[in-house]
Amino acid sequence: MKYIVAVSGGLDSVVLLDMLASLQGPELVVAHVDHGIRPDSAEDAVHVEGLANRYGLPYECARLE
C-alpha cells in the first residue's frame, strides 16, 4: 500500500516522516505544498526535498500563488 505524507518542514511533520520512514512495509511518497505566503517559503520546499532524498523516498511538490 502507498501512503502520501504531507510534510510542511515544521517539527511535527518532520517527526511524523521520520517515524513512518522507520517502519517496514508501507510505501511512502513525501508531498509538500509551497503556498508562497512567505518570501522564504521556497526554502521549506528545498528542505523537505532534502529529507525525502535522505530517506530515499519519492518527492512531489506544488507551488500555489
Side-chain angles (χ1 to χ4, degrees), residues 4-7 29-34 45 48-49 52 57-62:
I4 299 171
V5 183
V7 181
V29 176
V30 178
H32 178 79
V33 176
D34 178 357
V48 174
E49 183 177 18
L57 299 172
Y59 171 73
E60 296 291 331
C61 183

Side-chain angles (χ1 to χ4, degrees), residues 46-60:
V46 171
H47 173 65
V48 174
E49 183 177 18
L51 291 170
N53 289 337
R54 185 180 314 152
Y55 290 112
L57 299 172
Y59 171 73
E60 296 291 331

Side-chain angles (χ1 to χ4, degrees), residues 1-52:
M1 189 173 291
K2 186 180 287 192
Y3 294 93
I4 299 171
V5 183
V7 181
S8 67
L11 181 61
D12 55 344
S13 63
V14 170
V15 169
L16 175 65
L17 175 61
D18 184 63
M19 290 175 63
L20 291 173
S22 70
L23 299 175
Q24 297 295 328
E27 185 179 346
L28 303 175
V29 176
V30 178
H32 178 79
V33 176
D34 178 357
H35 294 278
I37 295 171
R38 296 182 346 272
D40 61 347
S41 65
E43 294 174 19
D44 292 336
V46 171
H47 173 65
V48 174
E49 183 177 18
L51 291 170

